[in-house]
C-alpha cells in the first residue's frame, strides 16, 4: 500500500528525509532528481542512513562507511554484509509516497 | 613473486590483509596465525552492545560465510619469533613455518595494573573472553569502579550503569580524554558521566587495590577508599611486538613503518594497532588505535609487500565512541595549541559540532550526536599537501 510521506519539495536534491515509522525509512532525493527509499538503519550496526553521505545512487553510512546501492539495496562496500531493504517510491502530485516492503530483503 | 605469505594476528587488520591480498590478485598460499582461538571478531561492540546484552558473540563475526579467501587459519596459535633472513615464523610449541612474506598484525593488549593478578573481579577489556568475564561480573550487580576515563572506560561505565550498577570512574589526569580531544572538549564529554548518575573523580591517581582474593576497594592517592565489587582497569593498550625482538625490525612504540605499512625489511610489513606508522596528518609516526585504520591500512600494507603502488592515499584519521546513548565522532589530527570552537549545536544539549583549527585552517572535527554534519566536515578535511614521504630509519 502506498502511503503519503511528505512533499518532495521538503527534501532538496542531495538530501535525505528520515521517516520515523516503526521500522524507520530513509528517503533520498538524488542530485539527478531520482527518489529512493530504503530502511534507515544500517544493516551493519546502529546508524541512520539518512545521516549518511549521498553520492549518485549510493549512500555511505555515517558510522563505518558501508555503501549501499539505493536502487537495489546491494552492499557496494563493507563492513555491512547484508543488503538494505528497498521500498517502492512514487511521487504523486508532488507528494512522496512509499510502499513499505513486507518481506525481508533477500540476496538478489 | 611471492608464493607463501604469513599473516600474524587474526583480527580486524589480519582479515583485512587476507582480503586485500586476494583483491590485489595474489594467488599464492596464505597462512593466518592467531593467538586467540576465536575466528576474527569485531572488538568495538565488546564495550558497548555486547556488554549490555544487546548483541551476541555471533553478531561480532567479521568473516562472511559466503567468502572463500583460501586462507589456512591457525587459530589458538601464538607466533613466538620472526627470523626474516631465514624467512621463518616460529610458533609456540616449536613449529617453524617457512614463508616469503610476512604481514604483522598482532595488534595490542590491555595494559594492566601491576600486582593485581591475584584479585578476582579485577578486569581488563580487550578480547571476547575478557568481555564475557566482565559481563558475568557485572551481572552480579553492586559497585563498579572504572580506573581510567578513556573511551573504553567511559563506555563500560555507561554499559554498567544501564545494567543498574553503582558506578564510579577515577581518572589520574585533571580532565579525561584531554589527549585525543583537548582539555576543553574532554571536559564536555566528561559531563556525560554526571548526566547519568556516574561519579567521576579526576586528578587523583590510584594508590592501590585492596582485597585478599577478591577486590574489596580501590584506594586513591589522597586517601579516598572506594568500595568495589568489580573493577575495570581501562588504562590503555600496548602493542604486541615483543615476539619481534631480534627480527631486525625497528620497534619504537610499535613496529615502525612508513604510511603504507612498509618496514625496513622488504619481506615484512606491519599494519593495524601494532604499527607505529608515519602519519602525514601528524607529521610523525603514530600508533593509531582505531578501527577504521585497522580496516583500511592493510590494503596499503599488502601493496607495499607486493611491490605495488598504494591503492589510495591515506584517509583522514577517524574514530567514534558510544556512551550513554550519545554518539561521539572525531576526525583529523589535533595537536597541543590548536584552537577549538563550536560551529553548530550546543554542548549543554549534548549535541554539537566542534572544529579544531591551526593557523586558521580546519585540522580536526568532533561531533556529539551530529552524524550528518560531522560527515560533511569529515569529508572536507584533507591531508596536508604535498604529502610528505616518510623517512624510514631501518636499524
Ligand atoms: C573494547 C574495545 C572497544 C573499541 N571500540 C572502538 C571504537 O568504538 N571505535 C574505534 O575506532 N576503535 C575501537 N576499538 C579499537 C579497535 O577495535 C582496534 O583498533 C582494532 O581491533 C585493531 O585491530 P588489529 O587487528 O590491528 O589488532 P587487534 O584487534 O588487537 O588484534 C590482534 C590479534 O593478534 C593476536 N596476536 C597478538 N600477538 C600474537 C602473536 N604473537 N601470534 C599470533 N597472534 C597474535 C591477538 O590475539 C589478536 O587477536 C576498540 C577496542 C576495544 C578493545
Ligand atoms: S553501522 Fe553502518 S557501516 Fe557500521
Amino acid at each position: 500500500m502506498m502511503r503519503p510521506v511528505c512533499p518532495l519539495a521538503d527534501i532538496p536534491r542531495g538530501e535525505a528525509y528520515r521517516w520515523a515509522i516503526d521500522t524507520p525509512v530513509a528517503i533520498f532525493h538524488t542530485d539527478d532528481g531520482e527518489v529512493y527509499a530504503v530502511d534507515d538503519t544500517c544493516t551493519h550496526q546502529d546508524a541512520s542512513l539518512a545521516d549518511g553521505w549521498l553520492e549518485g545512487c549510493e549512500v555511505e553510512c555515517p558510522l563505518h562507511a558501508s555503501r549501499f546501492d539505493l536502487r537495489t539495496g546491494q552492499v557496494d562496500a563493507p563492513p555491512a554484509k547484508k543488503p538494505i531493504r528497498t521500498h517502492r517510491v512514487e511521487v504523486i502530485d508532488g507528494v512522496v509516497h512509499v510502499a513499505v516492503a513486507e518481506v525481508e530483503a533477500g540476496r538478489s | 613473486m611471492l608464493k607463501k605469505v604469513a599473516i600474524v594476528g587474526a583480527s580486524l587488520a589480519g582479515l583485512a590483509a587476507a582480503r586485500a591480498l586476494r583483491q590485489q590478485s595474489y594467488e599464492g598460499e596464505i597462512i593466518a596465525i592467531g593467538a586467540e582461538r576465536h575466528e576474527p571478531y569485531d572488538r568495538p561492540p565488546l564495550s558497548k552492545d555486547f556488554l549490555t546484552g544487546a548483541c551476541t558473540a555471533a553478531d561480532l563475526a567479521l568473516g562472511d560465510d559466503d567468502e572463500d579467501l583460501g586462507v589456512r587459519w591457525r587459530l589458538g596459535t601464538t607466533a613466538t619469533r620472526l627470523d626474516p633472513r631465514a624467512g621463518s615464523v616460529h610458533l609456540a610449541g616449536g613449529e617453524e613455518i617457512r614463508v616469503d612474506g610476512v604481514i604483522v598484525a598482532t595488534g595490542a593488549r590491555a595494559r594492566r595494573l601491576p600486582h593485581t593478578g591475584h584479585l578476582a573481579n579485577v578486569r581488563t577489556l580487550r578480547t571476547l573472553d575478557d568481555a564475557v568475564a566482565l559481563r558475568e561480573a557485572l551481572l552480579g550487580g553492586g559497585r563498579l569502579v572504572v580506573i581510567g576515563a578513556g573511551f573504553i572506560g567511559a563506555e563500560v561505565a555507561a554499559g554498567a550503569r544501564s545494567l543498574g550498577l553503582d558506578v564510579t570512574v577515577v581518572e589520574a589526569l585533571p580532565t579525561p580524554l584531554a589527549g585525543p580531544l583537548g582539555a576543553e572538549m574532554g571536559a564536555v564529554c566528561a559531563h556525560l558521566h554526571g548526566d547519568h548518575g556516574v561519579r567521576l573523580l579526576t586528578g587523583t591517581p590510584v594508590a592501590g587495590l585492596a582485597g585478599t582474593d577478591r577486590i574489596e576497594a580501590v584506594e586513591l592517592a589522597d586517601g579516598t577508599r572506594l568500595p568495589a565489587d568489580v573493577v575495570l582497569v581501562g588504562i590503555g593498550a600496548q602493542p604486541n611486538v615483543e615476539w619481534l625482538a631480534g627480527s631486525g625490525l625497528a620497534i619504537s612504540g610499535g613496529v615502525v613503518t612508513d604510511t603504507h605499512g612498509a618496514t625496513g625489511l622488504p619481506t615484512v610489513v606491519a599494519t593495524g594497532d601494532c604499527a607505529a606508522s608515519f602519519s602525514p596528518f601528524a607529521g610523525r609516526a603514530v600508533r593509531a588505535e582505531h578501527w577504521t585504520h585497522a580496516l583500511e591500512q592493510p590494503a596499503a600494507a599488502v601493496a607495499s609487500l607486493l611491490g605495488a603502488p598504494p591503492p589510495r592515499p591515506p584517509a583522514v584519521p577517524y574514530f567514534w565512541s558510544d556512551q550513554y546513548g550519545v554518539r561521539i565522532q572525531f576526525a583529523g589530527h589535533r595537536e597541543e595549541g590548536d584552537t577549538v570552537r563550536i560551529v553548530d549545536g550546543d554542548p549543554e544539549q549534548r549535541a554539537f559540532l566542534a572544529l579544531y583549527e591551526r593557523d586558521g585552517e580546519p585540522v580536526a572535527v568532533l561531533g556529539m550526536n551530529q552524524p550528518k554534519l560531522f560527515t560533511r566536515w569529515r569529508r572536507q578535511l584533507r591531508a596536508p599537501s604535498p604529502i610528505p614521504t616518510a623517512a624510514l630509519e631501518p636499524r
Side-chain angles (χ1 to χ4, degrees):
Chain A
M1 191 190 65
M2 280 290 185
R3 292 163 62 183
V5 180
C6 69
L8 182 59
D10 287 1
I11 318 176
R13 287 189 182 200
E15 292 287 336
Y17 174 79
R18 183 174 183 273
W19 185 25
I21 55 174
D22 244 7
T23 304
V25 169
I27 296 154
F28 296 91
H29 191 181
T30 69
D31 286 327
D32 295 337
E34 301 289 338
V35 185
Y36 298 102
V38 301
D39 277 352
D40 183 50
T41 307
C42 183
T43 61
H44 177 234
Q45 284 165 12
D46 191 14
S48 158
L49 293 177
D51 287 335
W53 183 259
L54 179 61
E55 205 162 296
C57 299
E58 219 181 38
V59 65
E60 182 181 287
C61 176
L63 192 52
H64 311 122
S66 286
R67 286 204 304 269
F68 298 94
D69 186 322
L70 294 173
R71 296 165 299 189
T72 60
Q74 294 289 18
V75 177
D76 286 348
K81 301 177 208 166
K82 280 181 274 168
I84 192 90
R85 209 159 59 126
T86 58
H87 307 288
R88 201 153 56 82
V89 186
E90 249 175 76
V91 180
I92 306 167
D93 296 334
V95 174
V96 176
H97 286 65
V98 172
V100 178
E102 303 267 322
V103 283
E104 289 294 302
R107 289 186 175 238
S108 52
Chain B
M1 215 172 64
L2 296 183
K3 292 211 173 65
K4 189 167 178 183
V5 170
I7 300 173
V8 187
S11 180
L12 182 60
L15 179 63
R19 286 177 171 152
L21 278 167
R22 294 309 182 206
Q23 260 155 21
Q24 294 178 35
S25 306
Y26 168 77
E27 287 173 358
E29 266 183 81
I30 303 176
I31 173 159
I33 301 152
E36 292 183 78
R37 59 198 164 84
H38 306 291
E39 292 195 0
Y41 61 87
D42 205 21
R43 290 181 208 280
L46 298 180
S47 51
K48 306 177 183 73
D49 281 357
F50 183 80
L51 205 58
T52 58
C55 79
T56 65
D59 297 324
L60 304 179
L62 288 172
D64 195 333
D65 292 341
D66 293 354
E67 160 179 65
D68 183 12
L69 294 168
V71 171
R72 195 145 61 87
W73 297 96
R74 295 288 305 267
L75 300 177
T77 306
T78 303
T80 51
R81 195 157 69 83
L82 174 66
D83 183 349
R85 262 159 289 270
S88 58
V89 177
H90 296 258
L91 306 183
E95 198 181 332
E96 179 184 341
I97 295 181
R98 288 301 188 95
V99 291
D100 36 37
V102 177
I103 299 172
V104 179
T106 43
R109 61 181 180 277
R111 198 170 280 134
R112 293 167 187 276
L113 283 179
H115 318 301
T116 56
H118 62 292
L119 288 173
N121 276 5
V122 175
R123 299 274 163 206
T124 52
L125 180 54
R126 181 77 198 180
T127 65
L128 176 56
D129 295 349
D130 291 343
V132 168
L134 178 62
R135 178 167 155 76
E136 201 175 289
L138 294 179
L139 290 178
R143 294 153 301 186
L144 168 71
V145 175
V146 176
I147 300 175
F151 289 110
I152 289 179
E155 291 178 355
V156 170
R161 190 71 193 119
S162 76
L163 292 172
L165 280 85
D166 174 89
V167 183
T168 305
V169 179
V170 297
E171 167 62 52
L173 296 173
T175 316
L177 302 173
L181 305 184
E184 239 175 296
M185 290 302 127
V188 169
C189 291
H191 283 307
L192 294 173
H193 295 296
D195 288 354
H196 296 86
V198 167
R199 262 179 316 277
L200 172 67
L201 306 176
T202 55
T204 324
V206 169
L209 302 189
T212 37
D213 40 43
R214 264 185 91 84
I215 180 72
E216 282 163 21
V218 174
E219 293 165 343
L220 303 185
D222 65 0
T224 310
R225 186 184 157 89
L226 302 166
D229 302 293
V230 188
V231 166
L232 186 271
V233 180
I235 54 172
Q238 58 197 98
N240 293 319
V241 292
E242 292 78 359
W243 71 283
L244 296 167
S247 66
L249 290 172
I251 308 282
S252 173
V255 184
V256 177
T257 79
D258 74 356
T259 308
H260 309 297
T263 68
L265 302 172
T267 55
V268 183
V269 295
T271 184
D273 277 21
C274 68
S277 303
F278 181 84
S279 160
F281 302 90
R284 59 184 153 80
V286 171
R287 192 169 70 80
E289 298 185 79
H290 309 316
W291 188 92
T292 303
H293 179 259
L295 180 76
E296 292 179 347
Q297 195 200 26
V302 162
S304 299
L305 186 68
L306 299 177
R312 53 186 159 183
V316 175
Y318 164 70
F319 64 84
W320 79 97
S321 172
D322 291 328
Q323 306 168 18
Y324 305 103
V326 171
R327 174 151 297 156
I328 296 168
Q329 293 173 289
F330 183 93
H333 176 79
R334 190 200 72 90
E335 293 278 354
E336 232 26 75
D338 293 347
T339 59
V340 60
R341 62 189 169 97
I342 306 294
V343 292
D344 210 278
D346 180 1
E348 287 301 314
Q349 302 296 320
R350 312 294 182 243
F352 68 90
L353 197 92
L355 185 67
Y356 297 78
E357 289 163 311
R358 195 177 311 148
D359 307 324
E361 289 291 320
V363 289
V365 57
L366 167 73
M368 186 183 272
N369 275 343
Q370 281 288 1
K372 191 164 200 152
L373 219 53
F374 173 84
T375 301
R376 296 194 176 172
W377 275 101
R378 178 183 170 190
R379 290 194 156 250
Q380 283 174 34
L381 295 173
R382 291 267 177 275
S385 51
I387 296 178
T389 36
L392 260 187
E393 309 146 48
R395 265 187 265 174

